[in-house]
Amino acid sequence: MNALHPAPVSAARPTYSLVVFDWDGTLMDSTPTIVNAIQASCRDLGLPVPPDAAASWVIGLGLTEALATAIPTLQPDQVPKLLERYRFHYLTKDPELRLFPGIQELLDQLRDMGVKMAVATGKSRLGLERMLESTGLRPYFTATRCADETFSKPHPGMLLELMEEIGTIPEEVIMIGDTSHDLNMACNAGVAGLGVAYGAHPISELLPCRPEVVVHTVAELQAWLVGHVIGNPAEAR
């Protein structure tokens, strides 16, 4: 297996019946917006402003955990105000957020193949519901899990709950994400991981998590997935 480039499709390779996507940095081109919101909220409160690398590294964690990790000197009494300022800055840009080019076509193809899809995200339930509504993607996903309703990544809780709800086993699941948090969650849940290198974490952070493959573009992601998933014709559109 070559983790840097998609492997050729082979009949001997496993097929996955459930594809679980991270949201920010994987489906949605939101990494710069999140980084800028973290930095701007710190400036508002006179807190140390984390550099881009530190702010992007925490993407995928639950929001409170992410802010505490990005700003190590953050005191408990500062958290509520920082959360308020972060939400203000993020929501001002929220209407401008878009899916990565090609994601809509990828999801359409998987849906038309009858492949089950789910979301496991560090977003809040309120934030994810807002995005599902604005993008029109709600019908594509059989189930979703958010960081404020279960354990945050890299704990396996989101994936374990999704598998239980949907009724599938780890061998049939692949988790797709742009951070080591996503891929370590996959490892902890005993499912396969697939890294995308166009999001928050560099390849050097993704490879130690032992993903099946790391892809560089949405086109590569689509090509690899189509050769490695199996759908239910009865559920195809």
Side-chain angles (χ1 to χ4, degrees), residues 33 35 55 95 121 128 147 187 224 229:
T33 299
V35 168
T121 177
L128 179 61
C187 289
W224 194 93
V229 295

Side-chain angles (χ1 to χ4, degrees), residues 147-216:
D148 63 346
E149 59 195 13
T150 185
F151 295 98
S152 180
K153 303 168 185 179
H155 190 282
M158 291 190 199
L159 289 174
L160 296 177
E161 291 176 15
L162 287 169
M163 285 188 285
E164 181 177 6
E165 178 176 344
I166 295 171
T168 190
I169 59 176
E171 292 77 10
E172 297 177 356
V173 180
I174 188 161
M175 172 71 207
I176 301 172
D178 66 309
T179 72
S180 58
H181 315 308
D182 301 310
L183 300 183
N184 282 326
M185 177 177 65
C187 289
N188 293 336
V191 311
L194 188 158
V196 299
Y198 52 76
H201 285 192
I203 290 176
S204 60
E205 292 268 357
L206 303 178
L207 290 179
C209 306
R210 306 187 305 278
E212 288 294 298
V213 67
V214 173
V215 297
H216 297 80

Side-chain angles (χ1 to χ4, degrees), residues 110-132:
L110 294 179
R111 177 201 58 193
D112 293 346
M113 293 171 63
V115 177
K116 289 182 179 178
M117 294 179 279
V119 171
T121 177
K123 300 183 79 63
S124 67
R125 171 54 61 182
L126 181 62
L128 179 61
E129 291 298 322
R130 190 174 61 251
M131 287 290 97
L132 290 173

Side-chain angles (χ1 to χ4, degrees), residues 3-58:
L4 286 176
H5 300 286
V9 175
S10 165
R13 292 190 61 80
T15 53
Y16 304 103
S17 62
L18 174 62
V19 179
V20 183
F21 291 97
D22 168 56
W23 189 270
D24 291 306
T26 301
L27 298 179
M28 182 71 72
D29 187 4
S30 49
T31 297
T33 299
I34 295 171
V35 168
N36 290 337
I38 292 173
Q39 293 171 332
S41 61
C42 289
R43 293 189 191 97
D44 289 349
L45 301 182
L47 295 170
V49 178
D52 289 357
S56 63
W57 190 86
V58 302

